[in-house]
Amino acid sequence: MQRLLVALGAIVMAAGVAVADSSVTTQRTVTKIADGVYSIRHADAPDSNPQGNTTVVIGERAVLVVDSSYLPSSAAEDIAQIRRWTKRPVRYLLNTHWHPDHQRGNSVYVDAFPDVTVVAHAETAKLMASYDAANRERYPKRLQAMKETLEKGPDAELQKTVDGRSRVLAELERSRLQLPSLTFDSELTVDLGNRVVEIRHTGIGDTRGDAWAYLPKEQILVTGDVLVAPVPYFFAGYPADLARTLHRLLELDVKAVVPGHGDVMHDKTYMRAVLEMVETIVGQVNAVVVRIGSLSARLEDVRPQIDVADYRRRFAGDDPRNQEYFDESIEGLIKDAFYQAPK
Ligand SMILES: [Zn+2]
C-alpha cells in the first residue's frame, strides 16, 4: 500500500460509524484502558506493512501480552515500556493468529523473558510453521529481484520499496521464527493474580486459528483481526464463519474493545456495522449464485451485481488510503463469499 502524506480524512457519520482515522498508521500510540491494562498501536513498518496492536495485561503475579507485532524493534520498544510499567515478568504471550504482523516479535519476548509461554490456537501453530517459514524465505528473494530490476535503470518508487524492505530484512535477520509452546483448541483461562484472562476460539473467521481474549471482570475484549479498524480486513478469510464469530463477540459485555489494528473502542457500534456488512454481502453473493445457478455461476458474473458503494462511503470516507484499503479488502470478501457459497 502506498504511503501518502498524513491528512486526516473528513469525518463521515453514517449509521453510527465515524471515519476520521486512517488504515495507514504513522505513529506509535499507547492507550491505558484500565489500571494495568494497556493497548499499543504501532506505526506501519518501513515496508508499508501494518503492525498488529499489542495489548498488555498486568496481574498481581505476572503479565500477559496479546500479539508481539511485526518488527522486532517494535517488540523491543514494547518490552522496554512494559518494564517501566511493572517489575513482573511476561509469563504468557498470546498470538491471536499466524499473520506475521502479530507474531514476528515472539523471539524478542522469549529472549527477554526466558520463562514466557507462547500461546496460540493449534491451527495457528501449524500455519506459522508452514506459511510464516515460507514467507521468511521468500522475502529476501523478492528483495533481491527488486534490486536486480533497479540495476537496469533508476525508479524512485521501487528504490523506496527496496530501502524499506532492506530495513525490515536487517531486523528480521536478527530474529527467528518462534512457534507457540502451548496450544489450545477451544479455550484456555489464565489467572495472572487477581486478573483473569479468558482465551477463546469460537470458530474460524480471518484465519483457521483465530483466538480472542476477554477480561470478564474488567469487560475488556481483545479481538485480533476478526475486527480491524477503521476499515475492516477481509483480504482472505471465511466470511460466513466470521459473521458467526462476530455474533459470539457481540454477546459479551464490553467496556472496551481492542481491535487487531486501529484504536480502542468503547462500545459495539463498529462491530455491529462490520457484521451487518459481512452478512449483507454474503447474503447478496449467495442470492446471485442461486439466481444464476450454483453450477454455472462464475465470479466475474456475480461481482458486478454486488453493490458496495454505500459501505465504501461508511467505512472509508473521503480518505484515499482508506478507499484503497477498502477496495482490496472488499474484493477478498466477495471472492471468498463466492467460493464458499453453498453449492
Ligand atoms: Zn493484522
Side-chain angles (χ1 to χ4, degrees), residues 97 101-102 225 261:
H97 60 297
D101 58 316
H102 298 260
D225 282 359
H261 299 257

